[in-house]
Amino acid sequence: KAKYLTKVTDINKLYLEKIINEGDIVVDATMGNGYDTKYLAQKVGENGFVYSFDVQEEAIKSTAKKLEKENLDKRVKLILDGHENMDKHVEKEVSCIVFNLGYLPRAKHRIITKPNTTIKAIEHSLKLLKPHGVVSISIYTGHEGGMDEKNSVYDFVKNLDQSDFDVLECGFVNQINNPPQLVLIEKKNEF
Ligand code: SAM
């Protein structure tokens, strides 16, 4: 088992550590069981704020519990709506938006993120970012529909204008079983 090159979500945190500062406003586009939401809430501190989205009531309940336990609930808004409607809930510029695509492990229903709504949400995210803000997307291809979603995300991000955005890809090139991928997009300047 690897010690350093573990999950893409861990590698993602190496970047997030630098990107997110105390007092920032950030978004968790895929709340799930709230691990990322909790991490983000800790990172932004008591003067920051996290908007967190999921379409499953189950996700809201388990995340609310996690946050209350750590006394982090006041700096987080849990939103039962699709991330494709992010623009209706988030009105301020944000420094970071985190996507962890796919399905919620061990959930009752296998509700997965889907290409069309994911792309719409990424489009909204790029508008909401402040200069040098980052969208981070962890992508999994092992489940049904996962490869289609990955291809849609790649088609979209590959075509982003280099003068507006830098796009970085991280992946495990020697893993055989559908290794996950991480894509990071930084907004360059005001435009
Ligand atoms: N980040 C989560 C955590 O820390 O536990 C894991 C996220 S899980 C891989 C993906 C989540 O995306 C699922 O909980 C699923 O319900 C949610 N999802 C699916 N479609 C969505 C949509 N349109 N908008 C927001 N969330 C969605």
Side-chain angles (χ1 to χ4, degrees):
K1 204 170 169 197
K3 182 173 173 189
Y4 298 109
L5 306 186
T6 51
K7 299 182 287 185
V8 285
T9 44
D10 293 334
I11 294 163
N12 190 24
K13 288 198 178 105
L14 300 176
Y15 294 97
L16 298 185
E17 282 299 310
K18 284 194 171 197
I19 295 159
I20 302 171
N21 292 298
E22 283 236 352
D24 278 5
I25 304 171
V26 301
V27 176
D28 184 353
T30 49
M31 178 194 315
N33 281 325
Y35 292 101
D36 293 326
T37 298
K38 180 180 151 192
Y39 168 79
L40 293 171
Q42 285 165 335
K43 283 297 298 167
V44 299
E46 58 184 351
N47 297 317
F49 202 77
V50 185
Y51 294 89
S52 186
F53 292 86
D54 208 292
V55 289
Q56 298 195 64
E57 199 108 40
E58 216 176 322
I60 308 269
K61 278 194 194 136
S62 96
T63 303
K65 218 156 124 194
K66 250 192 204 80
L67 296 174
E68 278 157 28
K69 219 161 132 192
E70 305 281 334
N71 206 14
L72 295 165
D73 50 306
K74 292 195 182 54
R75 59 184 91 157
V76 181
K77 186 170 185 186
L78 302 177
I79 300 163
L80 182 63
D81 197 358
H83 43 217
E84 62 278 16
N85 300 318
M86 196 187 291
D87 58 321
K88 300 192 176 74
H89 302 275
V90 185
E91 275 145 13
K92 293 186 188 141
E93 282 194 327
V94 304
S95 66
C96 187
I97 301 177
V98 177
F99 288 81
N100 189 348
L101 301 178
Y103 62 92
L104 189 58
R106 295 177 297 278
K108 262 188 261 142
H109 307 283
R110 227 173 188 238
I111 297 176
I112 57 167
T113 52
K114 302 256 173 65
N116 283 349
T117 39
T118 298
I119 299 300
K120 210 181 237 179
I122 298 172
E123 284 175 325
H124 290 316
S125 300
L126 297 180
K127 289 200 185 113
L128 283 169
L129 281 187
K130 61 183 190 187
H132 304 299
V134 169
V135 172
S136 125
I137 312 165
S138 299
I139 308 170
Y140 308 89
T141 52
H143 61 282
E144 208 186 315
M147 193 54 89
D148 284 345
E149 187 178 39
K150 182 214 150 186
N151 290 336
S152 301
V153 171
Y154 271 71
D155 285 347
F156 179 80
V157 299
K158 275 186 182 166
N159 287 308
L160 289 172
D161 192 328
Q162 196 190 330
S163 52
D164 297 332
F165 298 100
D166 274 321
V167 183
L168 173 74
E169 140 184 62
C170 300
F172 295 95
V173 296
N174 69 335
Q175 279 188 11
I176 48 170
N177 289 326
N178 306 302
Q181 256 125 348
L182 174 66
V183 168
L184 295 163
I185 311 167
E186 176 175 343
K187 188 183 236 178
K188 282 177 142 171
N189 285 304
E190 206 98 48
F191 55 86

